[in-house]
Amino acid sequence: MGCFECCIKCLGGVPYASLVATILCFSGVALFCGCGHVALTGTVSILESHFSKVASDHAMLTDIIQLMQYVIYGIASFFFLYGIILLAEGFYTTSAVKELHSEFKTTICGRCISGMFVFLTYILGVAWLGVFGFSAVPVFLFYNMWSTCATMKSSISNLTDIDSICVDVRQYGIIPWSATPGKACGSTLGDICNTSEFYLSYHLYIVACAGAGATVIALIHFLMILSANWAYLKDASQMHAYQDIKMKEEQELQDITSRSKECLHSYT
């Protein structure tokens, strides 16, 4: 076999669907974890600088954000390993399907592992739907601030006092009602919207939300692949069982025929 034929054979065994899903999963998780980590840090800085001057007022929020950042580290590590495992499982099942009519045998353990991956990926997909919805919350909050600042710059603001236009983050439950000042109005709010921290955090939350959505799509893609591969392995197992029974029946038939001929010759 030449080099070209070997390359064609190797490329034929690559699970391209699993490869695409793995790349999409890695990209989505990387965007969500990286952008979310930086955006959370910027959010704390904005709150400390403009909405909560006393450290004790936002101490709980700071602890929660730090905990979420540690959770992000764990999510990144877990999905890096899980994506590699699913890609390896895709190589295994692709080989099983390619060698369906050869001596390749799919074990019960292999089929159970494939079924376990289907269940686990389904659970992770449902969980990431919740993560995707949760990641849209800060986008909504930052969008409200940005749209309020845009309103002050528009012609509508000429009809009212700019200082009466405010954003109170206490109403969202981020910080307690006793926090001071708790809200920003007029030119102060405009200055907040013009800071690089606000601009960067707002866009990073959008990218993080998009990354969570890409991860959901990747997990759905993985779920379809794993379900199809599990069905292929089940069919392969049934096919091999049928072939084994057929070979045994043919062998028994040959043995009966040979014994019948021997008996006939001895009788004659």
Side-chain angles (χ1 to χ4, degrees):
M1 184 179 294
C3 181
F4 179 76
E5 288 79 5
C6 290
C7 293
I8 294 298
K9 184 177 180 180
C10 291
L11 291 176
V14 175
Y16 293 101
S18 297
L19 185 61
V20 171
T22 302
I23 294 174
L24 183 60
C25 182
F26 283 172
S27 301
V29 172
L31 289 176
F32 174 79
C33 294
C35 296
H37 185 277
V38 178
L40 288 173
T41 303
T43 301
V44 173
S45 179
I46 292 173
L47 288 174
E48 291 178 347
S49 301
H50 305 286
F51 294 99
S52 182
K53 302 293 185 178
V54 181
S56 59
D57 291 337
H58 57 269
M60 182 179 294
L61 177 63
T62 303
D63 294 338
I64 293 175
I65 289 179
Q66 290 179 352
L67 178 62
M68 292 175 63
Q69 289 176 334
Y70 285 120
V71 171
I72 285 175
Y73 296 146
I75 290 175
S77 302
F78 172 78
F79 272 90
F80 177 76
L81 295 176
Y82 191 67
I84 293 177
I85 292 173
L86 290 184
L87 183 61
E89 200 272 345
F91 274 100
Y92 165 75
T93 50
T94 300
S95 300
V97 174
K98 294 291 183 181
E99 303 294 335
L100 178 62
H101 299 288
S102 67
E103 296 299 325
F104 189 93
K105 298 294 184 180
T106 58
T107 62
I108 297 177
C109 181
R111 296 194 300 274
C112 291
I113 292 175
S114 297
M116 181 192 69
F117 282 139
V118 173
F119 176 76
L120 182 58
T121 304
Y122 176 80
I123 297 299
L124 291 175
V126 174
W128 268 95
L129 282 175
V131 173
F132 175 68
F134 179 77
S135 63
V137 174
V139 176
F140 172 74
L141 298 181
F142 273 77
Y143 173 77
N144 284 342
M145 291 183 61
W146 176 82
S147 60
T148 304
C149 292
T151 301
M152 290 191 302
K153 297 177 182 179
S154 64
S155 59
I156 300 176
S157 62
N158 297 327
L159 302 178
T160 184
D161 185 11
I162 295 179
D163 293 332
S164 63
I165 301 177
C166 302
V167 170
D168 192 345
V169 297
R170 294 174 297 184
Q171 63 182 339
Y172 301 114
I174 300 175
I175 55 177
W177 283 102
S178 59
T180 55
K183 63 180 181 179
C185 304
S187 59
T188 303
L189 179 60
D191 293 337
I192 295 174
C193 294
N194 292 329
T195 59
S196 59
E197 290 179 346
F198 176 84
Y199 182 83
L200 180 62
S201 298
Y202 178 36
H203 288 83
L204 286 178
Y205 276 125
I206 294 175
V207 177
C209 184
T215 306
V216 172
I217 296 175
L219 290 175
I220 294 174
H221 195 177
F222 267 130
L223 185 60
M224 293 188 295
I225 295 169
L226 292 170
S227 300
N229 289 340
W230 183 81
Y232 290 150
L233 290 177
K234 184 179 179 180
D235 292 340
S237 177
Q238 293 177 350
M239 179 64 70
H240 283 301
Y242 170 76
Q243 290 176 351
D244 291 340
I245 294 174
K246 183 178 179 181
M247 290 177 62
K248 290 180 180 179
E249 290 179 348
E250 290 177 351
Q251 185 65 36
E252 291 177 357
L253 182 60
Q254 291 177 359
D255 294 341
I256 293 173
T257 303
S258 62
R259 286 197 298 267
S260 299
K261 290 182 179 179
E262 290 176 359
C263 291
L264 180 61
H265 287 310
S266 62
Y267 178 76
T268 56

